[in-house]
Amino acid sequence: MKPASKLPLISAALLTAGTGSLLAQSVDQPTTDKVYDLEGFTVTPLEEFSNRAVYGETPVAFSELSKEDLDRYLASQEIPLALNYTPSVYATNQGGGAGDARINIRGFDQRNVAVMINGVPVNDMENGWVYWSNWDGIGDIASSVQVQRGISNLDLAVPSIGGTLNIMTDPAARERGGMLKQEFGSDGFSKTTLIGHTGLINDKFAASAAIARKMSGSYIDGVWADAWSWYFGASLKLNDANTIEFYGFGAPQKHGQNLYARNIGSYSADYALGLDGYDAAALEESYGYERGFAYNETWNYVDPDYAGPQADHHGVGPRRFDDYINERENFYDKPQVSANWYFRPEDSRWSWDNVLYYSGGEGGGTGTYGSVERVSDFGGYFHRNRDWNAEIAQNEANLDSTGRAQSTGILRNSRNNQYTVGLISKATYEASENWSTSFGLDWRTAEIQHFREVRDLLGGDYYLENGQQKTIGGIIDYNNTNTVDWLGGYWQAAYEKDDFSGFAMVGLSQISYSFVDDYNWVNGKPMQVDSDTFDGMQLKLGGRYNVNESTSVYANFGYIEKVPIFDTVIDDGSGEAYLNPPDEVFTNIEIGLNYTNQDGTLLLGANVYNTDWSDRAFSKFVSVLDANVNIAGVDQRHRGLEIESSYYFSKQLKWDSTLAFNDWKYKNDVTARFDPDNDPATAQQFNLYLRDIKVGDAPQTQFTTGLTYMPQSGLNITGRLRHNRKNYAGFDPLGRSDEDDRTQSWRAPDYTVFDFHANWKLPTDTDIEYELFLNVLNAFDKKYIQDAVDADSFSGYHDDFEASGDYADLHDADGAAVHFGAPRRINAGVSMTF
């Protein structure tokens, strides 16, 4: 490993987190000014396999949270939320449900962000999404979390467009011992975590295990969490050439949800009226009927005497709560296990890394089915909490000729049972002192069963579906099985000499899908649809040059032809194949600089990037054609400037800061014509007017800063600020079909949030260490909008637009649906390390 510079220990902790830009947040008090070379840092086989970027070497922009950072700042949030102090990264908990977080990097949502755990991709095989409730507790056992922005250092042939989020665990890096942590917090939060490590036994074996139990309410009505998480990792060194590692983790959980964004006036009339463009008349309609910031329409009270059972993936049993019922609840368990084999023969130029993994899950989400009564006097049509008591009474009274009660409305489970099996194999050859090459394969296959079942009959004995009496657990509405088959391969070459290092990578991928409908049979057998095989390609180039001991520059380029996701190939509601699966292309170019001053007290990183998304496609059913089509041709441009810096005023005081200026927008209008039969009578034309409209769903300007004070060894006090601007509401581009509508989507108010963290390792003369910690998130209880939907058709107020015809009245505050950010929350506790 070539040193970029020699740095004092005061900043050495930052090196493992730096970006091709910079930095971690480690703030341990330095104890010496001795100089250390970068060659002193080693990389484990797992880190090499996982494409972990290395400061001073990897020519991409990246940031990293170390284990110490996670302990100090995560505060038992989901991992994406800890990354909000990273440039161009935006994460929210959406409606506030545990595990319902989402992350956006450089304006791209999770479908175009590769999420890896120990080098294994965890994005959904059908649509690329990531469901963070499946990985609850991963922050407790993570050794580091690294975000590579842009094309990233990932050699797998997967489209990491916005970036790559890589979560690492490493049992072999632990000394013998363990940790017991007890946390308490706002809204009844309680979490107990126990972690143990064997340490290295006979220089051959090491293992770690962890288990955690979490219970919580929420600042949102009707939202709660009941979760476990577990982890096991082991490493066995068979001999000097062969090492085997095993990993397993899971997070069985249930939680109440708040899925629906609402009109701003639904939460607070005063806040709504304080916004430009919010029409006071909206408050007189049901759209804006004030219910408070904790409002959630997907739950309501029920008579505790009602004892109807409910079904989930564990079978049939009693309700969780006696006095209320959640309309929307999520329950899932998706463990993942893997076996890694590293072949590193001594005195050989070859190495070979392999991982075989399995991930299987069962669970789903709840909702209503049929006609379920709503509360009639709850503030109008758009505040429609379910009236469970009225529905139960109605169902109990609806008797058939045999005296059995037929339910007219029920609770249902939308189930998703799935498994994925995969194999990743990579071989590397050191051709010379300067040249190395690697190549590998990535094979995955997945099967996903989607079906609905009766969850709660709400007082009835059965629900009538297609002439059949369905009881608890009975399948209703649909039952289909999808398969996904993926094969990828890559070749990469790397060169390093003196002050220059660079790489080139080519990756190819193939994907195919199938759909089997077990609910609606045709000609006496299930309907089946098999897709074509779709090809994708990646090309990545990057290089870094050390100008001097203080300064290095880098650049990278990427070209990606993305394979289409399942949802743009087959409609798994109808089983109909789309006429024209998309062929989307991404190109990215980035230039960056790193600077470290002579004494290592200042680290500065800056980069500019430009990413073009060509031929983005949007799915649509065309009734005249009686077919599903993709409207292609939409182009997006994402470009920006990102800056990170860290400065030690002294050994006791450290300052961190990030800045991101982004410009994400649609580049063109689109005219799409569909004429598959070459018949003018059936030809369809669609026009989308998107040119210069900003891409929504994340703030395009971000600023963060933080001060850490370390008055004595083991005591860290940190205050941090994050400021977000130009957060344009998300919207459906298919709705921009009027040439006169050139108005930007509604821009949510800019906001600033302060967080406070304190950790104190108590002085001790024993082998047992105690640490007290306190986290105050949103310390000043700022009321702010974190997610918004423009011109919402369900809870937006549009009477002003219908009266004026002015599109400014459509894309305004009273037309939006929003989720507010979380209020002040406290997380505190004690950990015992032994």
Side-chain angles (χ1 to χ4, degrees):
M1 185 183 297
K2 299 291 185 184
S5 60
K6 296 175 182 280
L7 303 178
L9 184 61
I10 197 168
S11 59
L14 297 173
L15 297 178
T16 60
T19 71
S21 206
L22 298 183
L23 32 129
Q25 305 289 332
S26 291
V27 290
D28 290 328
Q29 181 180 359
T31 58
T32 177
D33 287 332
K34 183 178 178 180
V35 174
Y36 285 79
D37 284 350
L38 286 177
E39 284 122 335
F41 292 89
T42 60
V43 180
T44 68
L46 177 61
E47 289 172 326
E48 290 184 357
F49 169 79
S50 304
N51 301 111
R52 183 176 179 273
V54 178
Y55 181 81
E57 288 192 1
T58 312
V60 299
F62 70 94
S63 303
E64 185 167 314
L65 295 179
S66 68
K67 178 64 178 174
E68 290 75 18
D69 302 325
L70 293 169
D71 289 341
R72 289 170 181 155
Y73 305 126
L74 186 58
S76 282
Q77 302 174 94
E78 292 148 62
I79 282 208
L81 300 177
L83 301 172
N84 272 325
Y85 287 87
T86 303
S88 301
V89 174
Y90 187 63
T92 74
N93 62 352
Q94 299 191 97
D100 291 338
R102 57 95 176 191
I103 188 169
N104 184 301
I105 302 179
R106 289 185 174 177
F108 296 97
D109 68 20
Q110 295 176 145
R111 293 178 179 86
N112 288 302
V113 173
V115 179
M116 321 284 287
I117 300 180
N118 290 335
V120 174
V122 299
N123 297 73
D124 186 85
M125 286 284 284
E126 290 180 294
N127 59 28
W129 200 251
V130 180
Y131 302 92
W132 289 98
S133 57
N134 296 333
W135 316 111
D136 188 33
I138 194 71
D140 297 318
I141 48 87
S143 60
S144 67
V145 177
Q146 187 177 91
V147 179
Q148 299 180 26
R149 302 186 297 277
I151 64 169
S152 78
N153 191 41
L154 186 64
D155 52 27
L156 291 181
V158 295
S160 51
I161 313 303
T164 299
L165 174 57
N166 205 341
I167 304 168
M168 300 286 297
T169 67
D170 189 1
R174 299 291 187 183
E175 296 181 355
R176 181 180 180 182
M179 187 270 289
L180 176 63
K181 178 191 289 187
Q182 181 61 53
E183 299 172 75
F184 299 98
S186 303
D187 305 304
F189 176 85
S190 174
K191 183 176 180 180
T192 304
T193 305
L194 178 63
I195 302 175
H197 313 288
T198 66
L200 194 60
I201 300 174
N202 296 327
D203 293 326
K204 288 184 176 294
F205 177 78
S208 296
I211 188 168
R213 177 73 166 123
K214 181 177 77 174
M215 300 283 288
S216 180
S218 175
Y219 60 93
I220 298 294
D221 292 338
V223 174
W224 49 271
D226 181 352
W228 291 85
S229 60
W230 61 269
Y231 169 79
F232 176 77
S235 177
L236 176 63
K237 186 177 181 181
L238 299 176
N239 51 46
D240 290 340
N242 293 274
T243 301
I244 297 176
E245 294 180 348
F246 299 94
Y247 296 94
F249 44 87
Q253 60 82 37
K254 298 180 179 181
H255 70 275
Q257 294 183 294
N258 172 34
L259 292 182
Y260 304 128
R262 307 301 312 171
N263 188 284
I264 300 169
S266 302
Y267 303 102
S268 170
D270 289 342
Y271 187 98
L273 292 175
L275 300 175
D276 291 338
Y278 195 93
D279 194 329
L283 297 176
E284 300 173 4
E285 302 288 339
S286 56
Y287 310 94
Y289 190 84
E290 182 179 38
R291 301 301 303 177
F293 288 104
Y295 175 60
N296 173 16
E297 69 175 285
T298 65
W299 76 289
N300 206 356
Y301 294 105
V302 68
D303 189 333
D305 291 336
Y306 174 63
Q310 292 187 342
D312 62 15
H313 59 314
H314 292 307
V316 179
R319 292 197 320 276
R320 177 180 178 83
F321 301 103
D322 291 334
D323 58 347
Y324 75 86
I325 294 176
N326 285 94
E327 177 183 350
R328 291 292 191 173
E329 177 181 325
N330 178 271
F331 53 94
Y332 216 83
D333 183 11
K334 187 182 181 181
Q336 178 169 298
V337 295
S338 63
N340 297 25
W341 169 37
Y342 309 114
F343 180 58
R344 305 291 175 90
E346 194 173 356
D347 299 325
S348 173
R349 295 183 176 183
W350 282 97
S351 63
W352 188 20
D353 301 331
N354 301 271
V355 58
L356 176 66
Y357 62 92
Y358 167 85
S359 179
E362 289 190 351
T366 68
T368 58
Y369 192 69
S371 176
V372 178
E373 291 292 315
R374 296 182 182 271
V375 177
S376 60
D377 60 348
F378 208 64
Y381 180 77
F382 284 91
H383 294 276
R384 299 177 296 170
N385 295 67
R386 301 293 179 174
D387 191 336
W388 304 121
N389 291 328
E391 184 62 30
I392 291 167
Q394 177 178 291
N395 290 342
E396 290 175 340
N398 188 34
L399 303 180
D400 63 16
S401 60
T402 66
R404 301 183 72 215
Q406 177 184 331
S407 296
T408 59
I410 61 173
L411 273 175
R412 51 82 181 161
N413 292 323
S414 294
R415 294 286 304 277
N416 182 312
N417 295 347
Q418 60 176 273
Y419 72 83
T420 300
V421 178
L423 173 66
I424 302 172
S425 183
K426 302 179 181 181
T428 301
Y429 177 66
E430 302 287 343
S432 67
E433 180 182 357
N434 306 118
W435 282 98
S436 66
T437 186
S438 64
F439 52 90
L441 294 174
D442 169 24
W443 168 80
R444 284 174 266 163
T445 185
E447 181 177 287
I448 309 98
Q449 183 188 18
H450 299 279
F451 64 95
R452 280 184 171 173
E453 65 183 0
V454 177
R455 176 177 176 84
D456 190 331
L457 285 164
L458 299 177
D461 295 312
Y462 66 90
Y463 183 81
L464 194 64
E465 173 97 337
N466 296 330
Q468 298 180 347
Q469 295 183 2
K470 303 289 186 175
T471 56
I472 292 284
I475 294 179
I476 55 175
D477 199 19
Y478 59 81
N479 181 17
N480 55 62
T481 301
N482 301 336
T483 66
V484 185
D485 290 291
W486 168 283
L487 180 63
Y490 82 94
W491 170 84
Q492 180 168 292
Y495 177 79
E496 183 176 355
K497 185 177 181 180
D498 299 328
D499 292 316
F500 176 79
S501 61
F503 77 95
M505 176 266 195
V506 176
L508 302 175
S509 56
Q510 285 189 337
I511 198 167
S512 62
Y513 305 103
S514 75
F515 167 89
V516 176
D517 189 341
D518 287 313
Y519 197 72
N520 299 300
W521 285 25
V522 178
N523 298 324
K525 61 181 181 180
M527 181 180 70
Q528 179 166 342
V529 177
D530 295 303
S531 78
D532 294 331
T533 297
F534 302 98
D535 299 322
M537 190 269 282
Q538 293 191 77
L539 171 65
K540 297 180 181 181
L541 304 170
R544 172 181 291 277
Y545 179 70
N546 296 324
V547 179
N548 52 44
E549 289 191 347
S550 298
T551 305
S552 65
V553 294
Y554 67 91
N556 61 64
F557 169 80
Y559 173 85
I560 297 174
E561 296 176 356
K562 180 185 176 183
V563 295
I565 62 174
F566 187 100
D567 296 339
T568 58
V569 176
I570 300 173
D571 181 347
D572 67 357
S574 66
E576 296 291 331
Y578 281 83
L579 293 180
N580 54 337
D583 185 14
E584 299 173 312
V585 174
F586 300 83
T587 56
N588 178 84
I589 187 168
E590 181 175 320
I591 301 172
L593 174 146
N594 295 135
Y595 171 79
T596 306
N597 68 351
Q598 192 66 28
D599 62 3
T601 58
L602 172 65
L603 278 75
L604 175 67
N607 61 275
V608 293
Y609 71 91
N610 185 94
T611 304
D612 287 315
W613 184 354
S614 302
D615 283 334
R616 181 181 177 185
F618 300 92
S619 303
K620 183 178 179 65
F621 177 77
V622 182
S623 57
V624 174
L625 299 177
D626 192 26
N628 293 296
V629 299
N630 288 290
I631 298 177
V634 175
D635 296 339
Q636 291 178 213
R637 186 187 68 199
H638 296 237
R639 60 172 51 167
L641 165 67
E642 300 166 340
I643 301 173
E644 291 184 272
S645 62
S646 183
Y647 181 69
Y648 274 91
F649 295 98
S650 67
K651 293 181 180 180
Q652 288 75 38
L653 188 63
K654 173 174 173 279
W655 168 73
D656 296 294
S657 183
T658 71
L659 187 63
F661 292 107
N662 295 297
D663 181 20
W664 310 322
K665 67 180 182 180
Y666 295 91
K667 295 171 60 177
N668 63 323
D669 297 333
V670 172
T671 297
R673 182 177 176 83
F674 296 95
D675 191 6
D677 301 323
N678 197 25
D679 183 356
T682 60
Q684 292 289 300
Q685 179 170 305
F686 300 94
N687 297 306
L688 299 180
Y689 300 97
L690 293 165
R691 188 181 68 250
D692 294 330
I693 299 296
K694 299 288 188 180
V695 174
D697 205 31
Q700 301 204 16
T701 299
Q702 298 170 290
F703 169 72
T704 75
T705 189
L707 277 175
T708 298
Y709 180 51
M710 301 163 282
Q712 65 184 56
S713 178
L715 177 60
N716 296 273
I717 302 171
T718 302
R720 302 200 295 179
L721 169 157
R722 54 189 173 94
H723 176 74
N724 291 318
R725 303 176 61 85
K726 297 184 179 180
N727 187 2
Y728 294 93
F731 65 95
D732 180 6
L734 291 179
R736 294 291 186 139
S737 57
D738 191 326
E739 188 174 9
D740 295 329
D741 185 7
R742 298 288 184 176
T743 307
Q744 297 290 348
S745 67
W746 179 65
R747 176 177 160 177
D750 306 337
Y751 67 88
T752 302
V753 171
F754 292 85
D755 297 329
F756 173 82
H757 309 271
N759 303 76
W760 185 26
K761 291 184 178 180
L762 302 179
T764 178
D765 295 328
T766 70
D767 292 334
I768 300 177
E769 294 183 348
Y770 296 90
E771 182 175 7
L772 304 177
F773 56 89
L774 171 66
N775 303 282
V776 184
L777 307 177
N778 190 6
F780 298 114
D781 201 24
K782 173 72 174 179
K783 297 295 188 293
Y784 65 96
I785 292 170
Q786 63 178 7
D787 300 296
V789 178
D790 184 55
D792 185 67
S793 58
F794 292 100
S795 64
Y797 173 76
H798 306 310
D799 289 3
D800 50 355
F801 166 68
E802 292 173 2
S804 68
D806 185 349
Y807 280 102
D809 289 330
L810 179 65
H811 306 292
D812 60 2
D814 57 48
V818 307
H819 283 307
F820 276 81
R824 181 192 300 115
R825 289 154 296 144
I826 295 175
N827 170 270
V830 58
S831 65
M832 178 178 68
T833 304
F834 51 89

